[in-house]
């Protein structure tokens, strides 16, 4: 989807569900799809996510964040938030799998060949390991992406 289409969709859905005094914005996050900023009364969507996915997936994330706004900060991903999700047509799930840009730092598990990506430089003198293979067999060595 194009940015203008996503923005129009988000503003329309926000108005439809009573968020008249709320704003919409894009952010450059690579590890989260959407964000509800309660104190600023703003719903944000990752531009990386929005440009790489179709309308159905984008709509669901916008509705997910609208449900957060309607439920309030204290509701988190609990029963109240889930109930509102079902009412407005969002999937009541905490997160989804999305195509996002890879991090600058990459590592491959020597045991199972799973790939791992980080956006921030891995800390020095810290041992990183594959969650499946453990530190004995799955020690990770991060290198920068070429």
């Amino acid at each position: 989807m194009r940015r203008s289409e996503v923005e129009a969709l988000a503003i329309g859905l926000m108005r439809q569900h009573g968020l008249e005094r709320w704003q919409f914005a894009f952010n450059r996050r690579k590890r989260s799809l959407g964000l509800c900023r309660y104190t600023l009364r703003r719903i944000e969507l990752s531009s990386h996510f929005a440009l790489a996915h179709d309308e159905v997936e984008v709509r669901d994330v916008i509705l997910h964040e609208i449900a957060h706004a309607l439920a309030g900060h204290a509701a988190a991903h609990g029963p109240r938030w889930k109930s509102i999700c079902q009412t407005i047509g969002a999937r009541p799930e905490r997160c989804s799998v999305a195509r996002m840009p890879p991090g600058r730092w990459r590592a491959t598990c020597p045991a199972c060949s799973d790939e791992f990506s980080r956006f921030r430089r891995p800390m020095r003198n810290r041992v990183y390991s594959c969650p499946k293979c453990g530190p004995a067999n799955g020690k990770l060595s991060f290198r920068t992406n070429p």
Side-chain angles (χ1 to χ4, degrees):
M1 291 184 73
R2 293 188 314 219
R3 281 178 69 103
S4 59
E5 295 171 331
V6 173
E7 186 170 8
L9 174 65
I11 291 170
L13 288 171
M14 290 166 65
R15 300 299 172 255
Q16 178 184 339
H17 295 290
L19 299 180
E20 297 292 333
R21 296 183 182 179
W22 284 65
Q23 298 175 336
F24 173 77
F26 287 101
N27 61 42
R28 298 184 60 185
R29 290 177 177 245
K30 297 174 186 165
R31 295 177 53 189
S32 64
L33 311 182
L35 185 65
C36 179
R37 294 187 178 263
Y38 301 95
T39 56
L40 299 175
R41 292 181 165 256
R42 183 171 66 212
I43 289 178
E44 297 181 3
L45 202 63
S46 165
S47 57
H48 299 287
F49 166 75
L51 298 175
H53 294 80
D54 64 21
E55 183 179 345
V56 173
E57 295 164 314
V58 171
R59 174 185 293 270
D60 189 59
V61 172
I62 294 168
L63 289 172
H64 175 114
E65 300 309 330
I66 289 172
H68 278 299
L70 295 172
H73 187 269
H77 288 107
R80 177 171 164 71
W81 173 81
K82 287 180 182 180
S83 173
I84 291 173
C85 276
Q86 291 172 334
T87 301
I88 67 172
R91 284 182 293 145
E93 297 172 4
R94 186 166 180 187
C95 56
S96 65
V97 177
R99 295 177 304 280
M100 297 295 271
R104 180 175 174 207
W105 300 88
R106 293 243 173 132
T108 303
C109 175
C112 69
S113 299
D114 278 359
E115 292 188 7
F116 298 88
S117 174
R118 294 182 59 86
F119 293 96
R120 294 185 181 154
R121 180 186 193 123
M123 295 187 330
R124 297 175 197 262
N125 301 323
R126 181 165 179 193
V127 177
Y128 292 91
S129 60
C130 173
K132 288 192 294 190
C133 303
N137 297 323
K139 186 176 178 184
L140 302 176
S141 296
F142 283 92
R143 307 269 186 250
T144 56
N145 236 357

